[in-house]
Amino acid sequence: RKEVEQDPGPFNVPEGATVAFNCTYSNSASQSFFWYRQDCRKEPKLLMSVYSSGNEDGRFTAQLNRASQYISLLIRDSKLSDSATYLCVVTSNTGGFKTIFGAGTRLFVKA
Amino acid sequence: ETGVTQSPTHLIKTRGQQVTLRCSSQSGHNTVSWYQQALGQGPQFIFQYYREEENGRGNFPPRFSGLQFPNYSSELNVNALELDDSALYLCASSSGTSGSDTQYFGPGTRLTVL
């Protein structure tokens, strides 16, 4: 079992749609959680951190459920510019620092 | 622009050779992490350096080694290159090792092993 698993995708949605990405992690001692965005042939960039209380940044909402070891990202009113790969990221510090990226979910937003 | 730079941008090597990749961290950042990203996959954590010491390591063999210098720049060295080492190598700098610190990525070095 992978340490961080994401929806395999790709997701193809029309502009204006709402799309949800899911991610699960296996290490219950994981400390911090993030969503990164990666455009084609570019480096990953932080989209948002994820907290148990949930957090929202404009059209983006992230949620963490520690009991279920589950992270989600919701994008409302999708734009063409949202087309990218979305990476779920988990860090831990048991036995040394470690950052685990999921394989990513590709999103295509079409006009 | 994150302020994290990497060199070279592209590199071609043959099996068995050795390679050194370089990373300059963002100003004010004392922590550098290295990642390997194969095509179609997420980045895989190689190791992290904090104040010139290795602070954590992923599941990579010892032929992957690193250094961090007093100015916090870093090198990734890979010995005895294998075909499967062909990938994009990313470094990321951050202001600490707490795990909650945002990592800022450089543009990467694309390594091809023939």
Side-chain angles (χ1 to χ4, degrees), chain A residues 34 36 38 43 91 97 99 101, chain B residues 37 45 48 55 99 103 106:
Chain A
F34 307 89
Y36 275 72
Q38 187 171 26
E43 69 274 19
T91 68
F97 179 83
T99 304
F101 277 74
Chain B
Q37 187 173 25
F45 177 69
Q48 183 184 76
N55 182 55
Q103 296 187 54

Side-chain angles (χ1 to χ4, degrees), chain A residues 17-78:
Chain A
T18 295
V19 60
F21 299 133
N22 301 312
C23 172
T24 57
Y25 60 96
S26 61
N27 182 0
S28 59
S30 296
Q31 288 180 312
S32 301
F33 310 88
F34 307 89
W35 285 100
Y36 275 72
R37 169 193 169 131
Q38 187 171 26
D39 292 295
C40 192
R41 305 189 74 81
K42 296 283 191 178
E43 69 274 19
K45 291 183 180 176
L46 178 68
L47 180 65
M48 57 199 309
S49 302
V50 190
Y51 307 110
S52 297
S53 54
N55 48 309
E56 188 173 314
D57 183 2
R59 298 182 292 108
F60 299 84
T61 301
Q63 194 75 44
L64 166 66
N65 184 323
R66 282 190 180 269
S68 303
Q69 295 179 201
Y70 170 87
I71 306 159
S72 65
L73 175 68
L74 187 75
I75 305 176
R76 290 180 298 278
D77 188 23
S78 298

Side-chain angles (χ1 to χ4, degrees), chain B residues 17-23 32-36 45-49 52-69 73-81 85 89-91:
Chain B
Q17 284 189 311
Q18 178 265 342
V19 69
T20 297
L21 309 181
R22 294 178 176 82
C23 172
V32 173
S33 301
W34 284 93
Y35 297 84
Q36 179 194 69
F45 177 69
I46 303 175
F47 41 56
Q48 183 184 76
Y49 276 82
E52 303 177 60
E53 297 285 333
E54 187 179 286
N55 182 55
R57 190 178 182 94
N59 298 324
F60 279 81
R63 59 190 185 84
F64 286 79
S65 63
L67 280 174
Q68 188 178 31
F69 301 99
S73 65
S74 178
E75 285 183 356
L76 164 65
N77 298 290
V78 187
N79 293 322
L81 284 167
D85 295 334
Y89 287 84
L90 294 159
C91 79

